[in-house]
Amino acid sequence: MAKNILICDDAAFMRMMIKDILSKNGYTIVGEAENGVKAVEKYNETKPDLVMMDITMPEMDGIQALKKIKATDPSANIIMCSAMGQQAMVIESIQSGAKDFIVKPFQADRVLEAVKKAVG
């Protein structure tokens, strides 16, 4: 089972919520990023088993960060997190290589289901 997860979201409380859900279920959080630029940097530093990526972030959005990470590591496992009403972005992120997406506000069981599905 994959253990190391990178959490990317510009909202600190969202990072904390995801971290809490995953930590309580045996996953290790290897890093956090508050924008897409940091997400790419942290990914290269930590080489996590999975990335939880928000779509809407400052400096570089989650879709751009997804594309950059997938360009350097085609086997990267990335789950996108989006607010309701971002269907076009969700479709673009799946086409760009995201494994799954979860919609905010999300339930703990949906987060865990997506993580297990993405990394086995």
Side-chain angles (χ1 to χ4, degrees):
M1 181 174 94
K3 290 279 187 199
N4 299 324
I5 300 178
L6 172 63
I7 300 172
C8 312
D9 197 305
D10 57 325
F13 79 96
M14 290 305 293
R15 293 196 308 268
M16 197 168 62
M17 249 175 60
I18 296 170
K19 187 184 197 171
D20 189 51
I21 292 166
L22 297 173
S23 301
K24 284 179 179 166
N25 286 277
Y27 296 96
T28 302
I29 307 310
V30 293
E32 293 183 35
E34 65 279 2
N35 62 52
V37 174
K38 289 265 188 341
V40 174
E41 285 172 12
K42 292 267 188 198
Y43 184 86
N44 293 328
E45 281 169 27
T46 62
K47 297 289 187 223
D49 298 305
L50 179 70
V51 180
M52 302 293 291
M53 180 86 70
D54 184 27
I55 289 180
T56 310
M57 294 186 290
E59 291 187 51
M60 178 193 295
D61 69 23
I63 294 173
Q64 294 306 321
L66 162 73
K67 288 176 179 174
K68 279 195 179 296
I69 291 170
K70 291 297 265 186
T72 59
D73 183 0
S75 65
N77 290 308
I78 303 172
I79 295 174
M80 304 305 283
C81 306
S82 77
M84 292 295 285
Q86 290 184 315
Q87 270 65 25
M89 288 178 164
V90 167
I91 291 165
E92 185 183 350
S93 62
I94 296 295
Q95 289 171 339
S96 300
K99 291 276 194 217
D100 201 350
F101 67 92
I102 50 178
V103 178
K104 297 177 188 176
F106 38 71
Q107 308 300 316
D109 58 350
R110 175 67 185 109
V111 172
L112 294 169
E113 174 194 318
V115 168
K116 286 178 186 143
K117 194 170 95 180
V119 290

